Amino acid sequence: MHYYIILFLLMACTSLQAQNGAKDILDKSAAKIKAYPAVEIEFSLTMENKEENIREEHQGKAYMKGSLYRLEVMDVVNYYDGKNIYTYMPEAQEVNLKNPSDEEEEMLNPTKIFNIHNTGFKQKLISNTGGTAYIELYPNDLNKNFIKIGIWVKTSDSSIRKVESFGKDGNNLIITINSLKQPVRIPDDSFFKFDTSLHPDVEIVDMR
């Protein structure tokens, strides 16, 4: 009996250390991003369902400045000016204008992906070998449509290399960060808002 109690305590201590280690690693990554006045990111977005043998990969680009962002992927440009999301679809010549819901912000907003571990998740450091730490986040809200989020961090410079959302339906979303840097020129706030004067023929659909 004493053996099992000691074993349980050791497991509990190991788990606590792993959680603290995970938070320390991710906090350093978040601090690194926040130190930039603006960020330019090139990434790959992969949608995968192994059971159905589906794998689609798209290249994308994101710009962040404070809470503002501009996200270009899958022939769509998403702007967020701090209040509204503008989803511009050039082929359809249409822009959807809406207020972001919590779930949309969580899954779409690149400014939140680097601090997601502090917003309603249990954290666990799964491994830390070969210069890469792998951390899993488990949502406190069990009604989320994903089971967990995996994060790979390069420990030498605290840079997040990959984030994967494991869906309950088998659909996984993988973001691989190819480059992250400060832009040569810090963009104006207007860069993060769809300019109707430059696109007079585009239909605006107000969904707010």
Side-chain angles (χ1 to χ4, degrees):
M1 178 62 70
H2 285 92
Y3 169 78
Y4 287 109
I5 293 174
I6 293 171
L7 180 61
F8 176 80
L9 290 173
L10 286 172
M11 290 174 63
C13 290
T14 302
S15 177
L16 180 60
Q17 290 170 357
Q19 290 173 9
N20 288 340
K23 179 172 172 56
D24 288 344
I25 291 170
L26 293 176
D27 281 348
K28 287 179 182 178
S29 296
K32 179 179 180 178
I33 301 301
K34 291 176 182 178
Y36 289 115
V39 177
E40 179 182 329
I41 306 169
E42 294 183 2
F43 64 93
S44 301
L45 173 66
T46 304
M47 292 172 285
E48 183 179 75
N49 188 311
K50 293 181 179 179
E51 289 186 3
E52 298 182 11
N53 197 29
I54 294 174
R55 183 180 175 87
E56 296 180 12
E57 184 171 323
H58 306 272
Q59 301 304 309
K61 205 166 189 178
Y63 302 86
M64 302 185 303
K65 180 184 175 183
S67 62
L68 313 180
Y69 69 81
R70 176 168 170 167
L71 178 64
E72 304 171 4
V73 65
M74 295 175 65
D75 300 321
V76 174
V77 184
N78 290 281
Y79 303 80
Y80 180 61
D81 62 1
K83 182 180 179 180
N84 299 305
I85 290 180
Y86 304 77
T87 301
Y88 173 42
M89 295 162 283
E91 288 190 6
Q93 285 292 283
E94 179 179 303
V95 171
N96 291 336
L97 174 59
K98 55 187 175 181
N99 296 319
S101 67
D102 290 341
E103 186 169 355
E104 284 172 335
E105 277 288 85
E106 183 175 276
M107 299 307 295
L108 181 65
N109 190 338
T111 68
K112 293 195 173 186
I113 192 173
F114 299 103
N115 198 44
I116 195 172
H117 63 288
N118 287 319
T119 56
F121 288 91
K122 296 181 180 67
Q123 310 161 11
K124 186 174 182 180
L125 178 59
I126 303 301
S127 64
N128 191 353
T129 58
T132 300
Y134 172 58
I135 296 165
E136 289 186 343
L137 307 180
Y138 307 93
N140 295 330
D141 182 359
L142 299 181
N143 292 319
K144 296 288 187 183
N145 59 7
F146 55 88
I147 301 168
K148 63 183 178 181
I149 293 176
I151 303 178
W152 288 258
V153 181
K154 184 179 178 181
T155 52
S156 62
D157 61 2
S158 298
S159 60
I160 293 179
R161 308 310 302 162
K162 185 168 71 170
V163 179
E164 180 170 1
S165 172
F166 296 83
K168 290 180 179 178
D169 56 1
N171 291 316
N172 299 338
L173 186 67
I174 306 163
I175 298 173
T176 303
I177 298 173
N178 301 319
S179 72
L180 188 153
K181 61 184 178 181
Q182 178 177 313
V184 175
R185 177 183 174 275
I186 307 303
D188 296 330
D189 289 358
S190 59
F191 179 74
F192 302 94
K193 183 174 183 177
F194 181 77
D195 191 342
T196 55
S197 66
L198 297 178
H199 306 276
D201 297 328
V202 172
E203 179 185 2
I204 299 176
V205 180
D206 196 332
M207 305 173 69
R208 291 173 296 181

